[in-house]
């Protein structure tokens, strides 16, 4: 990068940042139970758009600066990669797939994954999504007036959809339990100050190893079946059959680890994030009866006379329901930050200052900092106002970032599926029920695990006609 005479040249050590504790530095901000992005936003206010934190053995950069974020997210995989400490955690759980692959390995897996997630398969899975949403609605109908812990319910819903889309079948209770264990281990390790499991395996870690091995066996047996069907000339209908076809055609040969890792990655990347988005959507619906009424009116129009939806394309007419989901994700993004690192020594610039980064320096990218601070784009930012998404202008260059699905070549490939699942669920729920908040467990707060979930969230549902 050329340096302009007026550009100030900095190293990470020159950046301002919060004081840390001896040895652990600022790591406690990420301990279990903390809400890291809120702490990072607070420091951002105090130390500026790009500041420094300290982790054991390394300085860490945190940035909400749009130009730097753009460089870090777009120059992948050539100049930046996911931070090793994140990728290694996921690899250790046997889910080596698209999310944590790098360089040519990533290029190959992205090609395969995009084939398995293309619009045709997502449309084909519409029936699965509709059936799963319908089952959820029936369960909620049976719980009329009682407190419903919607987070658990929504995790089951998004898991059903992920398994349906990837493997073409319904998860049984055993698979659900095993995957829940994998998620809770991942959440615990992501928020653990020290990688204790590398030195000592607790009973929960051993149970997780067994669960991962059993899930792997299940995926491989489903894959063998998918290959047989593809060899007999059938058309691919889901992610697994798309992989089998690519493998058989010799386009992208796959080994067992590729198959298990990629299926697990799709489930891990899609389940918690989408359940979190849906849970926050229900929270805001429950607390905004006027918004609920508008979603209900729109659903009545789009779902037609018998109240059922037969065609995926109709979901695109649920524009207000989708605006509700986008507004919920603006205020409570499931993934408020990502962590990258440069693959070699490099520099980044915010236009006036150039910052040199040594290879491997973790860079926290505050993906959605602008959601609550960019008052030009989101006037009255604390208000829940879905209408703003119906009249949104394109962001102006330099606007504060709001990138809930990331950006650049590694942009989330599941975005359309996630919006389809959550928009449909919001519309179907409002069509059938009046949603009321239940605060008997305490006020709704944020809780960070693999995604940002609502804590204490409970609602009561009453049939619309009553
Ligand atoms: C509301 C729900 C979701 C949110 C907020 C979300 C968010 C994200 C974010 C922030 C990234 C990182 C993007 C980047 O590095 O620039 C990502 C990547 C990814 N997401 Fe999603 N996601 C969601 C749903 C899904 C679903 C349903 C799937 C699967 C069907 C999925 C699969 C993936 C995969 C495989 C990657 C890695 C892509 C790559 O590295 O090339 N996500 N997602």
């Amino acid at each position: 990068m050329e340096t302009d005479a007026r550009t100030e040249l900095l190293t990470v050590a020159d950046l301002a940042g919060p004081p840390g504790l001896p040895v652990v530095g600022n790591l406690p901000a990420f301990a279990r139970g903390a809400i890291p992005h809120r702490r990072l936003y607070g420091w951002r206010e105090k130390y500026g758009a790009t500041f420094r934190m300290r982790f054991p053995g390394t300085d860490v950069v945190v940035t909400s600066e749009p130009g730097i974020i753009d460089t870090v997210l777009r120059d992948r995989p050539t100049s930046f990669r996911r931070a090793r400490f994140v990728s290694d955690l996921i690899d250790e759980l046997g889910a080596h797939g698209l999310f944590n692959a790098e360089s040519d390995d990533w290029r190959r897996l992205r090609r395969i994954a995009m084939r398995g997630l293309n619009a045709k398969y997502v449309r084909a899975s519409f029936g699965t999504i509709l059936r799963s949403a319908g089952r959820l609605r029936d369960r909620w109908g049976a719980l009329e007036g009682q407190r419903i812990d919607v987070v658990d319910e929504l995790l089951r819903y998004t898991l059903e959809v992920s398994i349906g889309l990837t493997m073409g079948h319904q998860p049984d209770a055993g698979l659900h339990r095993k995957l829940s264990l994998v998620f809770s281990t991942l959440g615990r390790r992501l928020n653990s100050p020290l990688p204790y499991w590398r030195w000592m395996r607790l009973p929960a870690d051993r149970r997780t190893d067994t669960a991962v091995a059993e899930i792997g066996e299940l995926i491989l047996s489903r894959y063998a079946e998918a290959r047989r069907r593809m060899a007999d000339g059938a058309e691919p209908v889901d992610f697994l059959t798309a992989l089998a076809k690519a493998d058989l055609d010799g386009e992208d040969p796959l080994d067992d680890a590729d198959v298990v890792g990629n299926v697990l990655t799709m489930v891990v990347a899609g389940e918690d994030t989408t359940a979190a988005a849906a849970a926050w959507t229900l929270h805001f619906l429950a607390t905004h009866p006027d918004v609920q009424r508008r979603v209900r009116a729109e659903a009545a129009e789009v779902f037609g006379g018998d109240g059922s939806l037969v065609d995926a394309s109709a979901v695109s007419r649920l524009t207000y329901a989708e605006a509700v989901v986008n507004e919920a994700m603006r205020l409570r993004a499931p993934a408020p930050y990502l962590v990258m690192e440069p693959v070699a020594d490099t520099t980044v610039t915010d236009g006036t200052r150039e910052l040199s980064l040594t290879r491997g320096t973790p860079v926290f990218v505050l993906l959605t900092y602008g959601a609550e601070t960019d008052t030009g784009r989101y006037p009255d930012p604390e208000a829940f106002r879905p209408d703003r998404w119906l009249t949104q202008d394109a962001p102006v260059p330099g606007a504060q970032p709001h990138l809930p699905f990331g950006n650049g070549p590694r942009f989330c490939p599941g975005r359309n599926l996630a919006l389809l699942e959550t928009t449909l669920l919001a519309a179907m729920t409002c069509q059938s029920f009046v949603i009321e908040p239940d605060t008997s467990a305490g006020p709704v707060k944020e809780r960070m695990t693999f995604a940002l979930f609502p804590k204490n969230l409970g609602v009561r549902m009453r049939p619309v006609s009553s």
Side-chain angles (χ1 to χ4, degrees):
M1 180 178 295
E2 277 187 26
T3 313
D4 179 298
R6 287 155 304 168
T7 310
E8 197 186 345
L9 193 57
L10 299 174
T11 66
V12 176
D14 296 326
L15 295 173
L21 294 172
V23 186
V24 290
N26 302 109
L27 210 51
F30 298 83
R32 211 168 172 192
I35 321 287
H37 72 291
R38 296 287 169 202
R39 180 68 72 86
L40 296 176
Y41 288 3
W43 285 336
R44 187 294 171 205
E45 292 301 309
K46 195 160 177 192
Y47 301 107
T50 302
F51 62 91
R52 170 201 41 74
M53 292 190 294
R54 292 194 201 286
F55 279 7
T58 183
D59 276 342
V60 174
V61 174
V62 184
T63 187
S64 66
E65 209 291 312
I68 297 182
I69 291 185
D70 204 57
T71 305
V72 170
L73 295 185
R74 282 187 195 282
D75 291 357
R76 292 181 292 171
T78 316
S79 306
F80 285 87
R81 51 161 292 156
R82 291 207 193 285
R84 267 170 228 271
F85 77 86
V86 177
S87 304
D88 288 354
L89 274 182
I90 303 176
D91 270 348
E92 282 168 348
L93 277 174
H96 180 78
L98 183 59
F99 189 82
N100 47 344
E102 293 298 334
S103 58
D104 284 347
D105 186 27
W106 171 77
R107 289 188 182 90
R108 183 178 74 99
L109 294 181
R110 180 92 186 179
R111 198 169 52 235
I112 296 173
M114 293 317 281
R115 198 177 299 134
L117 268 181
N118 77 18
K120 191 172 109 198
Y121 302 127
V122 172
R123 265 200 309 278
S125 69
F126 180 67
T128 309
I129 300 176
L130 204 55
R131 273 192 300 281
S132 298
R135 263 195 294 277
L136 197 55
R137 185 170 55 177
D138 294 346
R139 283 167 60 84
W140 290 350
L143 296 170
E144 181 186 339
Q146 297 175 39
R147 179 187 159 87
I148 303 175
D149 181 347
V150 280
V151 171
D152 277 357
E153 301 272 326
L154 291 168
L155 282 167
R156 199 168 305 135
Y157 166 63
T158 55
L159 181 67
E160 258 183 48
V161 173
S162 298
I163 299 284
L165 178 73
T166 48
M167 298 205 267
H169 79 144
Q170 288 303 309
D172 56 25
L175 181 57
H176 192 269
R177 219 179 22 256
K178 286 169 201 160
L179 282 165
S180 302
L181 190 59
V182 174
F183 275 113
S184 70
T185 302
L186 190 56
R188 194 178 59 245
R189 290 182 185 177
L190 271 173
N191 298 302
S192 167
L194 289 173
Y196 72 87
W197 60 94
R198 289 183 192 149
W199 311 303
M200 168 183 68
R201 290 190 104 65
L202 300 176
D205 296 299
R206 286 198 293 273
R207 280 199 300 278
T208 306
D209 293 341
T210 310
V212 168
E214 288 170 359
I215 296 168
E217 278 167 29
L218 173 76
I219 292 171
L220 289 176
S221 80
R222 302 281 309 178
Y223 184 64
E225 222 175 275
R227 268 182 70 101
R228 273 195 296 278
R229 271 188 283 139
M230 292 303 100
D232 288 345
E235 276 295 305
V237 288
D238 51 38
F239 187 68
L240 211 53
T241 43
L243 293 189
K245 177 125 176 59
D247 187 8
L248 282 169
D249 290 350
E251 288 172 47
D252 276 302
L254 298 165
D255 61 22
D256 285 359
D258 283 335
V259 174
V260 173
N262 277 291
V263 171
L264 255 182
T265 296
M266 286 301 154
V267 176
V268 169
E271 195 218 18
D272 267 28
T273 44
T274 313
W280 286 114
T281 300
L282 285 184
H283 163 67
F284 286 111
L285 282 169
T287 46
H288 294 80
D290 51 326
V291 173
Q292 248 183 81
R293 277 192 288 276
R294 278 184 67 183
V295 175
R296 189 168 302 124
E298 181 183 71
E301 218 168 87
V302 173
F303 288 2
D306 67 351
S308 60
L309 196 63
V310 282
D311 164 15
S313 64
V315 178
S316 62
R317 287 190 281 125
L318 294 169
T319 45
Y320 187 69
E322 186 173 309
V324 170
V325 172
N326 279 322
E327 183 67 345
M329 273 199 290
R330 182 181 69 81
L331 288 172
R332 300 289 185 273
Y337 59 87
L338 290 171
V339 199
M340 301 297 147
E341 63 180 53
V343 295
D345 294 354
T346 188
T347 54
V348 288
T349 179
D350 63 5
T352 53
R353 299 189 309 172
E354 196 172 327
L355 175 65
S356 67
L357 297 171
T358 50
R359 177 175 182 266
T361 306
V363 180
F364 278 63
V365 171
L366 299 181
L367 284 181
T368 56
Y369 177 72
E372 293 170 36
T373 53
D374 192 339
T375 49
R377 198 169 163 211
Y378 307 113
D380 196 5
E382 282 174 13
F384 181 74
R385 201 177 286 158
D387 276 312
R388 62 174 102 234
W389 292 94
L390 303 175
T391 54
Q392 267 284 300
D393 297 329
V396 288
Q400 290 297 313
H402 177 50
L403 304 165
F405 292 97
N407 206 4
R410 304 196 71 155
F411 181 79
C412 173
R415 175 186 177 272
N416 292 344
L417 174 66
L419 286 177
L420 177 70
E421 281 177 73
T422 36
T423 302
L424 184 65
L425 188 81
M428 283 174 69
T429 308
C430 291
Q431 182 197 25
S432 303
F433 306 109
V434 174
I435 314 163
E436 294 166 357
D438 178 322
T439 51
S440 56
V444 173
K445 295 187 175 160
E446 297 179 332
R447 175 172 65 94
M448 190 65 173
T449 54
F450 181 65
L452 183 74
F453 276 101
K455 183 173 156 185
N456 300 331
L457 177 62
V459 300
R460 277 174 275 118
M461 309 260 188
R462 300 191 192 284
V464 163
S465 49
S466 72

